[in-house]
Amino acid sequence: MDLTCGWGGQQVGAGEEERDGAPMSFGRRAGLPDVESKTPIVLVVTGRVTRAAVPGLCAELEALLHDPEGAARDPDAGVDCDVGGVVQADLALVEAIARLGLIARRAGGRQLRLRNVPPGLQHLLDLVGLADVVDLGERG
């Protein structure tokens, strides 16, 4: 199993400048209400997920969501999990998604959003009733 993860980074605060010296400007744009203003926290899962790998995935998401002191990092950012690279949709993967969703909820009521969901995983999530618990936004 390969695991790649990342955090969207820091936003420049009001009054700060970009590297080229141009002032930053903020503001909500009209339209596109479903587009987040903050870069989401992203966990990318590829390969085959085994039951033995689930605790490691959970620890990785915890590390992305909290700093070393336990404070929430960027509490307004969404939590995305890209599962497009998994090679087998099975109950171990479903267990991992359920546990990752629980971790996201415990971190300030966030909902785990899945990206690039393979059809087989979509069917399994429907079968076990998790399709209503996680956001199945982008399908593979």
Side-chain angles (χ1 to χ4, degrees):
M1 174 197 67
D2 297 321
L3 172 67
T4 307
C5 56
W7 181 56
Q10 304 289 335
Q11 278 193 339
V12 177
E16 294 182 34
E17 294 184 353
E18 289 185 297
R19 290 187 183 150
D20 65 358
M24 292 287 294
S25 63
F26 292 65
R28 279 212 171 293
R29 293 182 180 201
L32 300 175
D34 59 336
V35 176
E36 288 188 32
S37 61
K38 294 197 175 254
T39 304
I41 294 169
V42 180
L43 182 70
V44 178
V45 181
T46 60
R48 181 153 190 252
V49 175
T50 62
R51 290 197 72 198
V54 173
L57 289 171
C58 292
E60 194 64 43
L61 183 57
E62 288 276 2
L64 291 171
L65 292 172
H66 300 95
D67 64 21
E69 290 80 39
R73 285 189 180 147
D74 206 358
D76 297 329
V79 180
D80 290 358
C81 182
D82 188 329
V83 292
V86 296
V87 295
Q88 183 173 354
D90 58 13
L91 291 178
L93 180 58
V94 170
E95 176 187 353
I97 290 168
R99 290 180 60 186
L100 293 171
L102 182 60
I103 290 168
R105 285 210 187 270
R106 288 180 177 165
R110 305 176 201 210
Q111 184 175 26
L112 183 69
R113 286 181 306 229
L114 298 181
R115 292 189 201 168
N116 304 312
V117 181
L121 178 57
Q122 166 72 47
H123 295 305
L124 275 175
L125 292 171
D126 287 337
L127 181 69
V128 300
L130 284 178
D132 297 331
V133 176
V134 295
D135 181 354
L136 300 172
E138 295 181 36
R139 298 192 172 119

